[in-house]
Amino acid sequence: MEQSNAVLSALGDAGKRLTVARRAVAEAIAEQAGHFTAEDVLAVSRRRRRAVARATVFRSLDLLVDLGLVERVDLPSGDHAYVACEPDAHHHHVVCSACGRSVEVGELGLRPILERIEFSTGFAIDSHRLELFGLCPECRMAAAAKPSA
Amino acid sequence: MEQSNAVLSALGDAGKRLTVARRAVAEAIAEQAGHFTAEDVLAVSRRRRRAVARATVFRSLDLLVDLGLVERVDLPSGDHAYVACEPDAHHHHVVCSACGRSVEVGELGLRPILERIEFSTGFAIDSHRLELFGLCPECRMAAAAKPSA
DNA sequence: AAGCTAGTTGAGACTGGCTCGCAACTAGGC
DNA sequence: GCCTAGTTGCGAGCCAGTCTCAACTAGCTT
Ligand SMILES: [Zn+2]
Ligand SMILES: [Zn+2]
Ligand SMILES: [Zn+2]
Ligand SMILES: [Zn+2]
């Protein structure tokens, strides 16, 4: 909910209109636990209120990505997903490969590594992506409790 | 060329057949400078010898990924690409956003960071992806020489 | 060298994610 | 309330990647 409010005000700040469709997308995203796909958003929007058109879902998602409120993640499976996230702070996501829940982590000392890479390769690195996959605490316990299968 | 030989022997080791199609794909990959798409491989194969079927290109690429001879990279643009790389050593790729050339870099001290993340999040991280983008030395020079657009 | 068989391929239909174009609609300023 | 640029919906279209299945062949066997 507050997530969706953040979206609304961010839209305002960016001089974008506060339309019904965008509100619907924002709400749909707010109710996602972990990462989600465009289809998920579409499905939620169809279930509640008036459905948002497929094209519009993609347009809004792109917009939110531009605003830094949502980020694209490429799952190991090759699927494209999105995660809601805090704007204005460079960070990365740790995604649970069992349930999809995701948490943000900061830069945690990556900077020196990047510098070392720039030095050794001669590249001027201007962006990077670090995606971490594993089991979240809950799924870890679940896995430990039922080791078979 | 040696690249393609490496592929051939790796196929043998994995008990896979050494077919014409796979040879063609291996050669097509060997002549790619940086990252490439499935379409690129398809195009090269069509230009030389007998063309390899679309489906087969994807199948071979998947196989090579399994063997660790090729890796998938998700470009910032969202496109899926591949890079040829050394097998048997965990590493990452630095990709030039201008010309596509890519070089491999090792782990360079990422381990402690991962441990810190596991500790602070409670996740059991079992895989990660680090992709670096920037300008390679050549493109950097080119950019410096012609600063206007 | 010929035979055998499981692994592999080609062709093309098919799917599903995503984009495009454009007329209708509306948020927000006046 | 009006105006207009920004936005949406719809539907057609596009394209990467998958699937099916009959035909083919690498490599072993005799
Ligand atoms: Zn989980
Ligand atoms: Zn970072
Ligand atoms: Zn370059
Ligand atoms: Zn690594």
Side-chain angles (χ1 to χ4, degrees), chain B residues 32-110:
Chain B
Q32 300 292 325
H35 54 79
F36 56 89
T37 63
E39 282 308 310
D40 293 335
V41 174
L42 192 51
V44 174
S45 94
R46 275 206 253 260
R47 206 174 317 126
R48 309 168 135 239
R49 314 170 171 260
R50 182 149 53 81
V52 177
R54 175 184 298 278
T56 304
V57 169
F58 283 99
R59 287 187 283 231
S60 313
L61 245 15
D62 284 351
L63 178 58
L64 295 180
V65 168
D66 282 351
L67 296 180
L69 292 163
V70 155
E71 219 164 273
R72 278 187 63 140
V73 183
D74 292 291
L75 305 181
S77 70
D79 291 338
H80 290 167
Y82 298 83
V83 270
C85 64
E86 294 304 320
D88 307 325
H90 177 82
H91 59 260
H92 302 284
H93 296 268
V94 188
V95 178
C96 175
S97 34
C99 70
R101 205 186 313 279
S102 94
V103 305
E104 303 184 356
V105 295
E107 205 54 349
L108 287 164
L110 202 55

Side-chain angles (χ1 to χ4, degrees), chain B residues 81-148:
Chain B
Y82 298 83
V83 270
C85 64
E86 294 304 320
D88 307 325
H90 177 82
H91 59 260
H92 302 284
H93 296 268
V94 188
V95 178
C96 175
S97 34
C99 70
R101 205 186 313 279
S102 94
V103 305
E104 303 184 356
V105 295
E107 205 54 349
L108 287 164
L110 202 55
R111 225 56 68 96
I113 295 184
L114 296 182
E115 276 161 24
R116 222 172 308 157
I117 293 175
E118 291 196 305
F119 181 74
S120 66
T121 62
F123 271 66
I125 295 173
D126 51 46
S127 79
H128 67 268
R129 256 161 133 196
L130 175 61
E131 286 163 9
L132 304 147
F133 304 96
L135 290 180
C136 70
E138 284 79 18
C139 292
R140 244 169 111 174
M141 300 240 249
K146 186 170 62 69
S148 57

Side-chain angles (χ1 to χ4, degrees), chain A residues 95-101 134-140, chain B residues 123:
Chain A
V95 178
C96 174
S97 34
C99 69
R101 205 186 313 280
L135 290 180
C136 71
E138 284 80 18
C139 293
R140 244 169 110 174
Chain B
F123 271 66

Side-chain angles (χ1 to χ4, degrees), chain A:
Chain A
M1 286 297 111
E2 11 105 14
Q3 180 68 262
S4 113
N5 282 332
V7 172
L8 303 186
S9 57
L11 280 175
D13 293 353
K16 299 292 179 179
R17 288 196 191 161
L18 210 42
T19 68
V20 198
R22 286 177 184 161
R23 251 183 255 272
V25 171
E27 283 177 25
I29 291 177
E31 81 180 45
Q32 300 293 325
H35 55 79
F36 55 90
T37 63
E39 283 307 309
D40 292 335
V41 174
L42 192 51
V44 174
S45 93
R46 276 206 252 260
R47 205 174 318 125
R48 310 168 135 238
R49 315 168 171 263
R50 182 151 52 82
V52 177
R54 175 181 299 274
T56 303
V57 168
F58 283 100
R59 287 187 282 232
S60 314
L61 245 15
D62 284 351
L63 179 58
L64 295 181
V65 168
D66 283 350
L67 297 180
L69 292 162
V70 156
E71 218 165 273
R72 280 187 66 142
V73 184
D74 292 291
L75 304 182
S77 70
D79 291 338
H80 290 166
Y82 298 84
V83 270
C85 63
E86 294 303 320
D88 307 326
H90 177 79
H91 59 261
H92 303 282
H93 296 268
V94 188
V95 178
C96 174
S97 34
C99 69
R101 205 186 313 280
S102 95
V103 306
E104 303 183 355
V105 295
E107 206 54 347
L108 289 163
L110 201 56
R111 225 58 67 94
I113 295 184
L114 295 183
E115 277 161 24
R116 219 171 311 156
I117 293 176
E118 290 196 306
F119 182 75
S120 66
T121 61
F123 271 65
I125 294 173
D126 51 46
S127 78
H128 66 268
R129 257 160 132 196
L130 175 61
E131 286 163 10
L132 304 147
F133 304 95
L135 290 180
C136 71
E138 284 80 18
C139 293
R140 244 169 110 174
M141 300 240 247
K146 187 170 62 69
S148 59

